[in-house]
Amino acid sequence: MAVPLFDTVTPLRPLRAAIEARIAEVMARGVFILGPEVAAFEHEFAAYLGVRHVVGVGNGTDAITIALRALGIRPGDEVVVPSLTFYATAEAAATAGATPVFCDVDPATRNITPDTVRAVLTSRTKAIVAVDLFGCPAPVPELRELGLPVLEDAAQAAGASLGGRRAGALGDAATFSFYPSKNLGALGDGGAIATDDDDVAELARTLRFHGSRDKSTFVEIGYNSRLDEIQAAVLRLFLVELDGWAAGRRAAACGYAEQGLGTYCGLPAVPADAEPAWHLYVVTHPEADAVLAGLAERGVRARGYYRTPVHRQPAMASFAARATELPATDELARTNIALPMSPVLSSDQVREVVAAAAAATGQR
Ligand SMILES: Cc1ncc(COP(=O)(O)O)c(C=O)c1O
C-alpha cells in the first residue's frame, strides 16, 4: 500500500456537503470579491490567532510583500531571511524592493536564531523574516529582542503555538498561505496577513487593492491581491477543523518517534515551549537521496525539500553575493527527507513508513 506525502482529499471528505452548501450560498449572493465571507473569515481567523487584525490576500507570497511594505520597508532596505525555506520568502522581500540578506539556521530546529541573524545585521537592516519552518515556530520573541520588526512567515505553521501563543501572533506581523496542501489549505490560492498593529493592517488593506481605500483615490502603488469569497467561505469551515487537524499531525509525529524512527534518521528537535503543527515531518540522513530511492521502492512517497537553498538559486545571485557560508543550511538542504504527513496519517501508515525507513537505511 503506497503512503502519499500529503493527503488533501481524506480530511475534506466529511465536509463535502457543507463545502458545497457554502459555495452555493456565495453563488446565490453573487458577491465574489471582498464581500461578507472575507470579512467574516478575517474576523474569525483574527479571533483564533488572538490578534486584532487579519487581512486576506491572494496568496502567501503577496502576503509577505504586502506585509513588509506595510511594516515600512522601502527600496534598498535590507531584510534578513533564511535560505532554508521556500523560494517565495526571499522573492517576496525582493518584490517589495528590499535586498534579501540570507542567514543560517539552527541545525537542530532548522529555524533562524538571534545568533544567526546577528551575524548578518548591518546599519541597513530594517526587518527580519522568521519562517516557522515545516510547522515548528521560530524563536520570534527572542528575535524581536534584536530591536527590528519581525515578520513571521507562518505559511507552514497554522495550528502551531509557542509559549501558549499561536504561530501567526508572535511577530510584529505574520503571513499565511492557504495553498491547498498547507495546514489550513483552501481550494485554490489564498493568503493572509495578521497583525496587532492598526496602522500596519490599514496599509496592508490599502495595498491589497491597488493602494486605494475607497476605490477612487489611489495613494500607493499597490497590488491586486485579494482573498476571494469562495475561498474565504470554505476557509471559515476549515478553520473550525484546524486544531483537530493539527492534533492529527502531532499524533502522527509522536507515532513516528514511538515506532523508533529516530534509530534510522535524525528527528526534528522541538523547542520546550513549542507545539509544532508539522506541515512537513522532516528527518535527516547523511545519504538522504539514497534513502529516498529506498523509500520509493517500498511505496513511501517522500521528498527532499529545498535541495538548492534559496541563496544558491540563479535569480538570487546578486543578493547572495554577500552570503558567505551558511553551513547548517547547506547540510540540511542535502540531508533532509520529508516523510508522509497529514492530519489523517494512520498508525498503520506510520508503521509502514518506519519499516520502510528501517529497510532503506539498513545497509547504509
Ligand atoms: C514558508 C513559505 N513561505 C511562503 C510561501 C508562499 O505561499 P503561496 O504559495 O501561497 O504564495 C510558502 C508556500 O508556498 C511557504 O512554504
Side-chain angles (χ1 to χ4, degrees):
M1 183 182 62
V3 186
L5 183 57
F6 299 115
D7 187 344
T8 51
V9 173
T10 314
L12 300 189
R13 210 171 272 139
L15 301 174
R16 176 110 186 223
I19 292 168
E20 287 174 1
R22 290 287 174 108
I23 293 174
E25 274 171 42
V26 173
M27 291 187 70
R29 193 182 293 123
V31 177
F32 295 103
I33 298 287
L34 294 185
E37 299 292 341
V38 170
F41 172 69
E42 290 177 340
H43 184 74
E44 289 159 12
F45 197 34
Y48 171 88
L49 295 173
V51 300
R52 286 169 58 81
H53 307 279
V54 164
V55 180
V57 295
N59 54 67
T61 308
D62 288 356
I64 299 169
T65 301
I66 292 172
L68 284 173
R69 284 194 56 192
L71 286 167
I73 294 304
R74 296 287 167 263
D77 290 347
E78 291 182 2
V79 172
V80 178
V81 297
S83 172
L84 191 73
T85 177
F86 180 53
Y87 175 73
T89 308
E91 178 191 41
T95 305
T99 300
V101 173
F102 297 99
C103 74
D104 213 353
V105 291
D106 178 280
T109 64
R110 296 91 179 259
N111 277 323
I112 67 170
T113 70
D115 283 343
T116 66
V117 171
R118 219 177 273 118
V120 300
L121 291 180
T122 74
S123 57
R124 292 180 299 281
T125 313
K126 293 295 183 315
I128 299 162
V129 182
V131 176
D132 299 325
L133 198 69
F134 304 140
C136 186
V140 177
E142 292 165 42
L143 291 166
R144 292 181 86 175
E145 287 170 18
L146 294 171
L148 290 160
V150 178
L151 176 63
E152 184 188 2
D153 177 353
Q156 303 185 354
S161 63
L162 182 73
R165 300 203 67 190
R166 300 271 191 196
L170 302 170
D172 294 272
T175 55
F176 286 91
S177 162
F178 304 129
Y179 183 81
S181 62
K182 293 289 194 276
N183 296 3
L184 181 61
L187 303 181
D189 275 316
I193 298 154
T195 183
D196 269 332
D197 186 314
D198 298 350
D199 296 334
V200 170
E202 174 69 16
L203 186 47
R205 259 178 222 292
T206 305
L207 287 169
R208 79 173 167 183
F209 189 87
H210 306 285
S212 178
R213 201 66 187 107
D214 59 5
K215 302 188 182 178
S216 64
T217 304
F218 296 85
V219 295
E220 298 276 348
I221 303 295
Y223 307 88
N224 176 11
S225 185
R226 286 96 47 138
L227 182 65
D228 69 64
E229 283 287 286
I230 287 185
Q231 299 308 335
V234 298
L235 284 166
R236 292 181 66 196
L237 273 179
F238 301 166
L239 181 58
V240 177
E241 308 296 328
L242 178 58
D243 281 342
W245 286 340
R249 290 173 181 276
R250 279 193 281 275
C254 279
Y256 276 140
E258 281 165 17
Q259 293 293 321
L261 184 64
T263 320
Y264 315 112
C265 322
L267 302 187
V270 177
D273 52 350
E275 281 227 328
W278 301 124
H279 170 55
L280 295 166
Y281 193 76
V282 178
V283 299
T284 54
H285 190 280
E287 291 178 56
D289 286 335
V291 174
L292 280 172
L295 291 169
E297 276 169 29
R298 292 162 180 87
V300 171
R301 306 275 176 257
R303 206 184 117 184
Y305 268 72
Y306 319 137
R307 279 284 186 266
T308 304
V310 185
H311 74 290
R312 298 193 183 282
Q313 295 293 345
M316 290 289 152
S318 62
F319 301 126
R322 268 190 40 203
T324 45
E325 290 301 306
L326 305 178
T329 297
D330 282 332
E331 178 69 1
L332 284 163
R334 190 180 68 77
T335 59
N336 83 76
I337 301 170
L339 293 175
M341 174 52 74
S342 85
V344 293
L345 197 74
S346 69
S347 34
D348 283 349
Q349 288 176 310
V350 166
R351 263 193 292 279
E352 204 167 315
V353 173
V354 176
T361 58
Q363 317 81 315
R364 297 173 213 290

